[in-house]
Amino acid sequence: MFACRRPNMNVQWQLLVIFFILMILFGRTHAQQSAPVARPRIAIALSGGGARGLAHIGVLQWMEENRIPVDYVAGTSMGALVGSMYATGMSPAEMRRWVEDVNWDQALLAEPSYDELAFRRKQDRLNYQVAIPLGLKHGLEGPNGFNPGQGVGLLLSRIAFPYSTVSSFDELPIPFRCVATDMLRGDAVVLKDGSLAESLRASMSLPGVFTPVDLNGKTLADGGLLNNIPTDVARQMGGEVVIAVDVGTPLAGHEGLQSLGGVLDQTISVMTIENDRRSLRQADVVVAPDLGQYTRNDYYDADKLVKLGYEGAAQKAPVLQAFALSEEEWKQYLAIRDARKRAPENRADVLQIAGASGREQQQLEQRLDKYLHTTLDTRRLERDLTQITGEGRFDSLGYEGFVQGSTSGLRINAHEKSYGPPFIDVAVNASGTGVGAFDFATGFRVLFMDVWHHGGEWRNDLLLGSSDLVATEFYQPLGQSRFFVSPYTFFLNRSRNAFVNDRRVALYRDQRLGGGFDVGFNSGRRNEIRLGYRIFEGDLAALVGSEGLPRIHGSSSQIRLGYVFDELDNPAVPARGERLTAELVHVPESPGVSRNFNQLQVQSWTFVPLSAKSSLFFNASGGTTFNRNASLFEIFSLGGPFRLGAYTRDEFLGNHYALVGLGFRREFYRMPVVGSKVYWGGWYEAGTAFNDPTTFVVHSSFNAGIIADTLFGPIALSGAVSPTGRTKINFSIGRLF
């Protein structure tokens, strides 16, 4: 019989050990396959550069398309603006649409656009077009920056509003930092908490252009002064790989310094170049898109700049793609980022006013109370804040949310003008066709606000030159209504031409001293109607010309009903809108006439945009003394720039007149610093002034020239020719019509 053999226990133990080793190895391999691969944390540093900073959007678009994550964002100036949009969860496509929809001309204005101003501020801008704000609050001084940033500030409020209540910028979908400069200590300041909108505004406040921002006890300006490419900040945030995007303007050669804009760009580049070189040395990857000749002001080339930024990133593909995630990892990254997004509050039940006190705080609370306890419409709120700013008291008004206990609130950040009231508006007005037909006057308007009661204004005008004006007006709304009373006095001294046929034979002095009292209704922004009584003592005497010309002296009284509608977008060279004035006057007495008479005069201008740079314009005006004769103080006249330009001012006089014009104007150049735009244009005019309706003659004028809309008011130079061969070279400074 065979005996049973016992298994070899050593072999069994060996097999068991091998089995456990294989299980451990298999488990490790499986764990390695299922767990995400560790990756370096990536931070991106976005430089300043004005409009050139829009190229950052293209860089971010390329990175997203290639699944390259961004864990931290640091930015300066325009890099802070673009970086904040990305950090708050906007996709590059959304950012692109956002910047293309912005009206950059309006956003970058030093004050709300003309059509957003209160009606009385429109009158100030129309009559005093030197865009140099001054005030007398602490002696004669101006603001500490050309642009208080109202338009830009509202854009920043819109971006930041959903994240108003975060305690730290680390709570954004992507942790964020921006850099500003402490103007008192000369230090770079990294902003990481508090008001996101105010932090962005501080980072973008280029000295001399935008007013500095008082924030956290510091006076802050553009971070590009000390740290234009914040790679060190990106590293400090935790970036193990730092990608720097440099959109600064490279140093130009000699040919690039032949214009004022080129010199200014070069100056900024020279000021920051050493800091930029230091910052770039701290980056692991540098993306520097070739933006060619695009400048810091080319905001309307956003689409092209974004494309160039995209191409710049693509050129770094061999380096950047090393950080790309797999499809699955990218989905996980986006899910985590999107989970941190916040929707904006759509309701507020508490209102706070920061930066204003006393009567101004109460007025803002009363006017903005309508936004409480209802669905919050931020676009409508922005329009209202812009229009309140357009009343002249505030530099800027922004908004943000807050939480009080469990209640959502709306906070308005008000920045009152530091230099007024009283405010001073300046005018330099000149027009003519040469030395022989030349008018010049310069002066100012002093405006006191909230005189007697809220809304009360005291205007004082002084213009001296070939025409003199001294005037004062008190304007007082009646209670909280839009009805008002307005007493005023004035002294006017001007010259008038006298013609026989087409030959100038004399120059008259026209002097008037008088006053009046009006009652009226002011709609707020667009129109005003007045009814009042005016009386003046007039003197009309020859200064130069034929001896023996009659002198007219005496009192004139008038009962006047006037209406003004103004919806133009610019007081100097409009692109769109209408302006209409109408006045009906009853004259019981006036020197040189024995009977009372009535007059009606209507004037209108209409501008119709054809494109972003071109507009058609049409003007029509007319007046009549009905079946009576007007005195020489009230007679209508034609001639001169924009009133039959081929003829001299006052060449045609009459009890009745009519004038029509049709023209075209197009922008062809944008000027740096000294103004905004230069236009060329052409227009045709036809008109007549007459006494006898059966014998009038129509005169016409073909005109062409250039108009510059400058800080010192519009400057126009044009040539005019009539069908009969009359020619004139006309110029005007300070006001066109």
Side-chain angles (χ1 to χ4, degrees):
M1 295 183 63
F2 295 98
C4 291
R5 298 183 60 186
R6 298 179 57 189
N8 189 326
M9 296 299 296
N10 289 333
V11 172
Q12 290 178 342
W13 278 108
Q14 290 175 3
L15 290 174
L16 187 61
V17 170
I18 291 171
F19 172 77
F20 277 113
I21 291 173
L22 290 174
M23 290 294 292
I24 292 171
L25 291 174
F26 176 79
R28 286 183 177 177
T29 302
H30 180 74
Q32 289 172 353
Q33 291 174 347
S34 61
V37 177
R39 64 173 180 84
R41 311 302 286 173
I42 298 175
I44 192 165
L46 305 178
S47 79
R52 292 168 64 94
L54 299 176
H56 291 312
I57 298 173
V59 174
L60 294 169
Q61 179 184 344
W62 187 93
M63 291 177 65
E64 287 230 336
E65 290 179 2
N66 288 270
R67 304 189 303 276
I68 299 170
V70 174
D71 301 294
Y72 308 101
V73 177
T76 297
S77 197
M78 194 64 182
L81 172 62
V82 174
S84 69
M85 288 194 287
Y86 193 59
T88 53
M90 293 176 67
S91 69
E94 291 172 326
M95 295 161 64
R96 192 168 186 166
R97 288 193 297 271
W98 193 90
V99 300
E100 290 174 351
D101 288 343
V102 171
N103 184 334
W104 290 103
D105 280 343
Q106 186 165 323
L108 295 171
L109 287 174
E111 65 178 6
S113 61
Y114 183 75
D115 56 335
E116 295 285 359
L117 295 180
F119 185 82
R120 288 183 64 81
R121 301 293 77 78
K122 287 184 179 182
Q123 292 177 314
D124 294 337
R125 299 299 172 269
L126 188 64
N127 296 318
Y128 293 81
Q129 294 196 21
V130 176
I132 301 176
L134 297 170
L136 295 171
K137 190 172 185 177
H138 306 292
L140 182 62
E141 63 179 11
N144 55 0
F146 173 70
N147 191 326
Q150 167 65 16
V152 172
L154 288 178
L155 297 179
L156 302 179
S157 292
R158 193 182 308 166
I159 294 169
F161 185 64
Y163 300 91
S164 300
T165 60
V166 299
S167 59
S168 166
F169 299 162
D170 286 337
E171 297 177 38
L172 302 181
I174 304 175
F176 174 73
R177 301 286 187 272
C178 61
V179 180
T181 298
D182 186 336
M183 297 298 287
L184 299 179
R185 298 176 58 88
D187 297 331
V189 177
V190 179
L191 300 170
K192 59 182 180 180
D193 52 29
S195 169
L196 177 58
E198 290 288 283
S199 297
L200 293 172
R201 187 169 172 267
S203 183
M204 299 180 66
S205 295
L206 186 65
V209 178
F210 291 101
T211 54
V213 175
D214 292 323
L215 187 64
N216 302 327
K218 299 181 175 70
T219 299
L220 302 179
D222 196 297
L225 297 175
L226 295 177
N227 194 353
N228 194 48
I229 312 174
T231 51
D232 56 336
V233 177
R235 185 79 69 186
Q236 292 164 9
M237 293 177 72
E240 297 168 288
V241 173
V242 174
I243 300 172
V245 185
D246 179 13
V247 296
T249 305
L251 293 181
H254 185 268
E255 67 284 352
L257 302 178
Q258 303 308 304
S259 67
L260 181 57
V263 171
L264 291 173
D265 271 348
Q266 188 87 330
T267 300
I268 295 173
S269 297
V270 168
M271 290 169 56
T272 62
I273 191 169
E274 188 53 42
N275 285 334
D276 289 353
R277 289 169 177 167
R278 180 204 65 216
S279 296
L280 292 175
R281 285 195 294 268
Q282 298 180 43
D284 299 294
V285 181
V286 175
V287 178
D290 183 0
L291 304 181
Q293 299 302 311
Y294 288 106
T295 72
R296 302 171 190 272
N297 302 312
D298 291 330
Y299 288 95
Y300 281 104
D301 290 307
D303 186 63
K304 297 175 182 176
L305 288 163
V306 171
K307 289 179 180 177
L308 290 173
Y310 185 93
E311 294 169 2
Q315 291 176 358
K316 288 288 185 174
V319 179
L320 292 173
Q321 286 177 338
F323 309 110
L325 300 181
S326 67
E327 289 282 0
E328 184 62 31
E329 291 167 338
W330 180 249
K331 290 178 182 178
Q332 293 177 10
Y333 165 80
L334 291 180
I336 294 171
R337 191 177 74 182
D338 292 345
R340 295 163 62 92
K341 288 184 182 180
R342 296 190 180 190
E345 290 289 341
N346 60 3
R347 180 184 174 91
D349 295 306
V350 181
L351 177 66
Q352 284 186 0
I353 307 296
S357 59
R359 186 162 51 183
E360 290 306 317
Q361 179 178 341
Q362 295 172 5
Q363 288 291 323
L364 287 174
E365 289 172 347
Q366 292 174 8
R367 296 177 67 172
L368 299 174
D369 182 74
K370 61 186 177 183
Y371 289 100
L372 298 181
H373 317 303
T374 186
T375 301
L376 184 59
D377 184 346
T378 55
R379 292 303 179 99
R380 182 183 171 206
L381 173 63
E382 289 177 12
R383 287 194 297 270
D384 278 354
L385 294 179
T386 298
Q387 291 171 15
I388 295 172
T389 305
E391 295 172 7
R393 168 72 70 173
F394 296 97
D395 264 336
S396 62
L397 292 166
Y399 65 95
E400 61 186 356
F402 71 97
V403 175
Q404 184 173 292
S406 59
T407 304
S408 297
L410 175 66
R411 180 182 294 114
I412 304 300
N413 294 313
H415 300 267
E416 290 191 75
K417 292 181 178 178
S418 61
Y419 54 95
F423 297 109
I424 297 179
D425 294 310
V426 179
V428 177
N429 299 326
S431 65
T433 58
V435 177
F438 175 74
D439 284 310
F440 173 80
T442 184
F444 55 85
R445 167 175 288 173
V446 180
L447 172 65
F448 296 84
M449 302 182 76
D450 293 338
V451 178
W452 193 15
H453 293 299
H454 183 81
E457 296 182 0
W458 181 26
R459 278 178 174 169
N460 299 274
D461 296 288
L462 178 63
L463 287 171
L464 300 174
S466 51
S467 295
D468 304 321
L469 173 67
V470 181
T472 186
E473 177 208 30
F474 176 67
Y475 172 94
Q476 179 60 58
L478 299 177
Q480 298 298 314
S481 75
R482 295 193 179 278
F483 291 95
F484 65 88
V485 295
S486 175
Y488 60 91
T489 62
F490 67 91
F491 170 75
L492 174 66
N493 178 35
R494 63 177 180 175
S495 61
R496 293 173 56 176
N497 294 310
F499 284 82
V500 174
N501 296 322
D502 60 356
R503 185 170 61 89
R504 189 171 66 156
V505 297
L507 183 68
Y508 273 84
R509 180 197 65 202
D510 182 347
Q511 286 187 345
R512 308 181 192 195
L513 174 63
F517 185 91
D518 290 344
V519 296
F521 178 83
N522 184 320
S523 71
R525 288 193 302 121
R526 291 185 175 87
N527 48 52
E528 180 184 87
I529 186 169
R530 286 179 177 240
L531 174 65
Y533 178 77
R534 174 188 292 180
I535 186 170
F536 66 84
E537 191 76 10
D539 184 66
L540 189 62
L543 285 175
V544 179
S546 303
E547 295 183 3
L549 289 174
R551 178 176 182 178
I552 300 175
H553 180 84
S555 296
S556 178
S557 59
Q558 303 172 343
I559 300 172
R560 306 158 65 91
L561 176 63
Y563 173 74
V564 179
F565 174 84
D566 192 343
E567 205 173 31
L568 297 176
D569 66 338
N570 187 297
V573 192
R576 60 170 53 84
E578 297 178 71
R579 178 178 171 83
L580 170 70
T581 64
E583 187 174 55
L584 178 63
V585 182
H586 173 67
V587 184
E589 62 174 346
S590 191
V593 294
S594 57
R595 303 173 63 184
N596 63 50
F597 60 90
N598 299 316
Q599 280 190 322
L600 173 66
Q601 181 174 206
V602 178
Q603 302 180 75
S604 70
W605 286 85
T606 302
F607 290 79
V608 180
L610 300 178
S611 68
K613 294 186 177 183
S614 303
S615 291
L616 284 176
F617 60 88
F618 174 76
N619 68 292
S621 59
T624 180
T625 317
F626 298 98
N627 59 349
R628 300 289 177 88
N629 292 321
S631 78
L632 286 178
F633 287 106
E634 284 88 13
I635 200 163
F636 300 116
S637 73
L638 284 178
F642 296 97
R643 291 183 66 82
L644 293 178
Y647 301 89
T648 305
R649 182 171 58 86
D650 301 325
E651 188 162 344
F652 307 110
L653 302 178
N655 292 316
H656 319 277
Y657 88 98
L659 174 70
V660 295
L662 177 66
F664 171 84
R665 70 109 179 103
R666 179 173 176 79
E667 174 195 335
F668 73 93
Y669 180 64
R670 296 197 177 200
M671 298 182 297
V673 182
V674 295
S676 51
K677 302 175 183 178
V678 181
Y679 306 85
W680 66 266
W683 59 99
Y684 170 77
E685 302 165 297
T688 181
F690 58 92
N691 294 320
D692 184 352
T694 64
T695 60
F696 70 83
V697 177
V698 176
H699 307 278
S700 59
S701 174
F702 296 90
N703 309 266
I706 59 173
I707 303 170
D709 183 8
T710 77
L711 292 177
F712 305 99
I715 300 174
L717 179 65
S718 62
V721 60
S722 74
T724 59
R726 294 285 297 274
T727 60
K728 283 286 188 295
I729 300 297
N730 295 312
F731 67 91
S732 58
I733 301 172
R735 186 171 177 177
L736 298 184
F737 54 87

